[in-house]
Structure formats: C-alpha cells, structure tokens
Amino acid sequence: MLKVKNYIHELETVSKKSFNNDEKMLLEKAIKMAEYAHEGFYRKSGEPFVNHPLEVSKILASLKLDITTLISGILHDSVEDSDGKVTLQDIEKEFGKNVALIVDGVTKVSKINAPVGNIDQKKKSETIQKMLFAMAEDVRVIFVKLADRLHNMRTIDYVDNKEKKRYKALETLEVYAPIAHKLGIHVIKWELEDLSFKVLYPEEYYKIKELVAQKKKEREERTNEYVNQLKLALKEHNINALIEGRYKHYYSIWKKMKEKNKNFDEIYDLIGIRAIVDDIKTCYTTVGVVHQIWVPLPGRFKDYIAAPKSNGYKSIHTTVITQYGEPLEIQIRDHQMHNEAEYGLIAHWIYKEKTVNLKQKWLLQLLDWRKELLKGSTNLSELKNELQLEEVFVLTPKGEIIHMPRGSTVIDFAYAIHTEIGHHFSGAKVNGKIVPISYKLKNGDVVEILVNKSSKGPSLDWLKYAKSPRTKAKIRRFFREQEKERLIDSGKDVIRKLAKRLNISIENLLENERLKTFMKNHSLSSEELFIRIGEGSITFNDLLSLIEKQEEQKKIKIKQKKNYKNLISIDGISTIDVHIAKCCMPVPGDEIIGISSRRGITIHRVGCKNIKNIEEERKFSANWISENSSGFNAAIEIELDKNERLPEIMNIFVSKKINISSLKVSESESWKTIFAQFTIVVKSLSELNELINDIEKKAGVIRVRRK
Ligand code: MN
C-alpha cells in the first residue's frame, strides 16, 4: 500500500504537478491491476515485471502527458504479459474506452516486428505502415509505445541474447527513433539513438563519449564565459533569458563524421549556446544584443521564426566571431518554440491542438516519411489518396493490410478481398465480434468475412450498404449476368421450338447458312443471338421466315435494332443489353446514365427530367466507349420568324447528309413565329452541335433548342 502511494508521489514529482483525489484513485487502481496482471513475472534484470510499466508511466509523466496516458502506460503490458488474468474488457470496464483503445494499440504495435538492416525498402515501409495505422486511432498510442521502447532500451544491457539485443537496437534506430524524429519528439529521439548506438557500435560509442568528455572539460570554461557575457548584456537590456550551452549527442556526432567524412574535431569544435526568452519580440531584441557584443558571420543569420522549417521548427540562428577569434553558434527562441523543438507533437498535443486537425497533421508527417522510404516505388495516385486521409486501413485475420475508402462497410471489404467472397458473404466478424452488414470499418480493425458456399448470390439490398462504387458495380454485374442467363435460356427455348417445327436438330438449325449470314450481318455471336431472341427483339416468326422463305431475301428488322456492342459501358463493362430512352434521346458524347427497369437498362441523358425521382439503387453509371455510331435519333426544335424559311433549313440537313425521321410544325401562340420540331439521325453530339450552330446562323432563325 505504502509502495503505491510512494509511487504516485514519484509521478507527481516528475510531472511537476499534483493529482486530484479522483486521479489518485484511478492511478492506484491501475497500479494494483498491473501488479495483479504481472504477478509472478520477472524481468531479465531479476526485478518484478511490474517495475517496467511503472517506469514507462514515469517517462510519460516527465513528458507532462495526461492521466489517461499515464494509466495506459501503467497497463500497457497487462493484457499481453499476464497469462490472460487481465483482458481488454476489464480495462475498458475499469478505466474507460480511451485507455482500452490505447493499450490495444500499443499491443498491436508491439506485435509487429519491423524488418531492419539492408532490406527491401518497400517491405520496410509496409511494416511501418502497419505500425502507423495501429497507432492511428489515438496519438497517445505512440507516446506510450515510445516510452515503452525508451525504457526497454535503457535496460537492454540485461538482455543476454546478442541477436535479440542487436535486433532491438536496430529496430529502435531504424524505426522508433525516426518516428520520434518525424513527430519532433527530439528528447526521446536523441536518447533512443544514443542507446542503440551503444549496442550496435560499442567501440565507436565509447570513443566518442570519451572525446566529448575531454573536449567538454576543455571547452566548459570558455562556454561559461560566453554564457555569462550574454547574460550580463541581456540583463542590461532588461531581457529575461535562460542561457545554456548546447552539446551534441554522440550518435549525431558519429553520423556527421561518417556522412561528411570529417574527424571529430571538425564536427565538434564549434561551441554552441542557446538563449530562451519570453516572447517573439524579445527574440529579435536579443539578436540585436548578440550582434552588439560579437561580430556576426555574414551569411549565417537564419530567421526560422519568420520562415519556419518544413517540420515547423522555429528559432533564430546566428554565428558570430568572439573576442577569441573563434566562431560561436547561437540559437534564440521563446519558451513555446523551445518546447516544440524538444517535444514536438507532445508539446502541440498538450498545449494547443487537441483536435482532429492535430491527428491529421501527425499522420501526414508519418505518411510523408513512408513516402520517403518508398521513393520511386509507389505510384502517385496511391499516395495522393493516403494524404487526403480518405482511407482506413484494416487487417485480414492473417494480418494482411487492406486499404479501404473511408466509410467502407464489411460488404465492401468482402468484395475487396475477392468477388466470390463478396457474392457468398453471409456475415462478418470485426475484432472477433459479429457485426451487422452496415458496420463501417475503422482503422486497425481485424475483419473476418463469413462465407456461405451454398448461397445463390448477393441480395439487391446490399447495394444500400455498399459504399464503394466497385462493390456496387460487382453486385449489379451479378444481377445483370443472371438476367443475361435468363434471356439466353429463353432464347434457346425458342430455337428448340423452331428446330422442332422445322424437324431438324438444333445443331443443324444453328448451322443454317441463312441464319449464319444473318448473324454475321448483324455481328451477333450465338450468345447474343439467344439474348436478342430471349428479349423478343427477334421473334420465332422472324426466324421462321428467314429460314423458310429463302428466295425472298427478306430482311428481318430487329426491333430495337441498334447494336450497342462496344458503344456503351455500364459500370465500366461493355454491354449490349441496353435501350436508348425515347424521352431524352441521348447521342454519343452526351453525359448519360443507366436506369434499370424490368426491360433491362435504359440509357438516359443525365439531365433528363424523367429520371429525377428515380431511386439511387436503380442508377448505373454509363459511358460511351466510342463515338462511332451508325446513327442515333435526336430531337431539335427550331423557332423561325416565318414559314418560308423552312426549306432553307431543310437544305442544311440535306447538304450534311443528315436523315430526318420526323418533322412537326406548329405556330406560336402569338402567331408571330413558328416552331419546327425535327427528329433527325446523328452520329454524335459533336455532329449535332455543329448542326445546331449552322442552323442558328441562318437568317430568320430565332433559336434552336435540343428537346
Ligand atoms: Mn512494455
């Protein structure tokens, strides 16, 4: 008991604040739960396991994170390392949804082993992505995970297994330190880097540490002199400032030596100090004071306050030459800038932007990093989608990642995996629980689709729950295919009857020369012939006269005779099973839409007023595949000042070889003008527009309107 109270007091000390009674009670409950969960578990160092999560929450407290984060830190291993004594449900019941969500996120991230070393960048980026979306629900998942890793790295010396040690260090260096860096959490990044550096390159680490210690001793006196000099000068100007020496971290020194191929002295020689003042205005006053004491080095003044770095970094940098003739680097910033420079996202999260905006921002930063990793190996549109955050990432039970558009439901997921799985969908489990078909996927959901192999196929109802156009298209295609099968079957019935009537076999009938020529002339495959017959465009009698009255060479008119093959696509699939609406008479080039009816699909112009109130489920996206048609009906109305003008208009049609299928003339109510309504046959919208243009130019034409 005493131990728990002591521990809460320690948390208060590191976070430099005191908790209220409710918070203390929660913390106490969490500590007890963790103790219970980890009872009998020990760390490699021999101490009770529970010390680890408690230390993690202490790190979180030192970052001044909120009570929810501290509790999540205390409980972060309780579900995984407790032999099932504590479940996520227990945590949710006792501490609420947020804590459960964070613990769950941390557990998921911990299960992912990032590929490290010289491996395929694509693979690496995929794993990192996996981690990112495990963290995507709540930014505090990252904070806890980073604190967890930091404590594990601080105690890594207890791990005996060399391989494991190396792997953890590499993973820290290649994955966790960069995450901290990208999120601007530099205090953690530096420590993680130095701890990994020590494991991976112990010789170099100790050498640099030694050199730094020597130099520091050498330099300390002079650094102190500069600090005091500046302090004094600022005091004279009544400027409150915190001034400190700056020391580089071991790993960054080593990295610079390697990258720039320089020796230690060249990298480390420069003395750096930092002045932290109260506000932006004072930053600039301070620069002035600095430049009064020492001579600024030309070209070295950088104002990142006026123009922050792309990661949001703000500060003023200047380099001066001191009285000893050596360069001195000075950074000037206010407290908030300093906080942000050291704590990055954590500072933002605590101080100002606990909003959705913030979430997008950090996700963007991380995705940006993934982009760097992927350089060249991904296509732009994929990235664009991600950057708009229009996607959620979910997992199959095997751990594969599936991206889905935001708002996608389990039925979308089923079809995304495989069309057949979609068609035989019978239910879904998300994170182990059965969910309704309308369930909207969330980041990190593990989705399992239940399949009924004997089901006959999808239900039209599903269109209501499908979010993705691709899912809808697949469901509709299924029904269209089914309709097609039905038409083919009834077409075959007619052929069967015909063969019986002619007293020949079906095979012989299909080999009939007349029939074959007819099919060729109308470019019909046998399947399409059956469909035409099945839908009644070609009748029993048509076929009978075609085959019997050979001498007459009578041409059969196929009702709805247009062959739309390769002309119109529905949901992206080329089709012939369409009719052209008579109300709006679309022509190739018009924006069109398909409307399903008992007859099949009818193509309307998008603006057609007859389809205004049609329910969404009946609408299909339709497109012209080609504008090369043999001709489509179009109706235009021409208003003329008098009747005599009409022949001239007709001449335009003749000269353009445009057929007129009907003409109706009426007089306006005022009797002053006449209306001529033409139905004409055109090949495309451009032909029609050209024609309308030409007519409009004619004398006496008041206006031309497409009906
Ligand atoms: Mn842990």
Side-chain angles (χ1 to χ4, degrees), residues 52 56 76-77 148 152:
H52 161 66
V56 167
H76 82 270
D77 279 329
D148 175 41
N152 281 334

Side-chain angles (χ1 to χ4, degrees), residues 43 49 52-53 56 76-77 81 106 110 145 148-149 152:
R43 302 203 89 214
F49 188 92
H52 161 66
V56 167
H76 82 270
D77 279 329
D81 296 306
V106 175
S110 304
K145 188 59 211 174
D148 175 41
R149 180 49 61 105
N152 281 334

Side-chain angles (χ1 to χ4, degrees), residues 19 55 102 126 158 163 203 236 274 355 418 472 492 507 517 522 556 597 610 613 677:
F19 303 117
E55 284 304 314
I102 296 169
E126 274 168 16
Y158 294 109
E163 275 305 300
E203 251 176 64
E236 276 173 30
R274 176 184 297 139
T355 59
H418 197 283
K472 288 184 185 170
K492 281 179 176 167
E507 289 75 23
T517 315
H522 292 87
I556 296 175
S597 67
N610 286 351
N613 297 320
Q677 288 175 1

